[in-house]
Amino acid sequence: MDQIPDNVLQAFGEILSESLRDSDQVAIPSFGTFAAVKIDEHIDKDPESGERMLVPPSITVMFTPALKLVKQIKEGRNSHE
C-alpha cells in the first residue's frame, strides 16, 4: 500500500480542524463523514477507584464510515479467509 505524504496529511488535518471548529461536517464521498459532537457534562465512575466524578462538557470528533467503505472492508476480510 502506498503511503500518503506527510504534508498532505497535515493539510487535511488543518482543513478538518478548521471546518469542525466552525461546527461544519466534513464529508468525503465513498469514505465517510467527520462531525464535531458536544458531550454534555455528566457523572462518571473512575474504573480504578470506583469514585464518582463530574466530567466537564467537551467536544469530540465522530467519524461515520460511508456504506461503500464498510462494504469494501467486509469484502476484503472475506477474501482473506
Side-chain angles (χ1 to χ4, degrees):
M1 180 177 204
D2 294 331
Q3 294 227 345
I4 300 171
D6 288 342
N7 61 338
V8 173
L9 289 175
Q10 184 175 355
F12 174 72
E14 290 172 7
I15 292 168
L16 184 63
S17 295
E18 187 175 316
S19 295
L20 293 175
R21 246 181 273 141
D22 295 337
S23 299
D24 292 335
Q25 289 187 349
V26 178
I28 302 171
S30 301
F31 185 71
T33 303
F34 295 89
V37 177
K38 183 178 184 223
I39 307 292
D40 290 330
E41 177 179 79
H42 60 281
I43 296 174
D44 205 349
K45 191 190 306 186
D46 184 310
E48 291 181 14
S49 68
E51 182 181 343
R52 293 170 47 111
M53 59 187 166
L54 182 63
V55 179
S58 61
I59 297 176
T60 189
V61 177
M62 298 292 286
F63 174 73
T64 305
L67 293 176
K68 184 174 182 177
L69 177 63
V70 172
K71 184 177 176 183
Q72 287 175 337
I73 292 170
K74 285 182 180 179
E75 288 172 356
R77 276 193 199 145
N78 293 336
S79 68
H80 288 31
E81 292 176 358

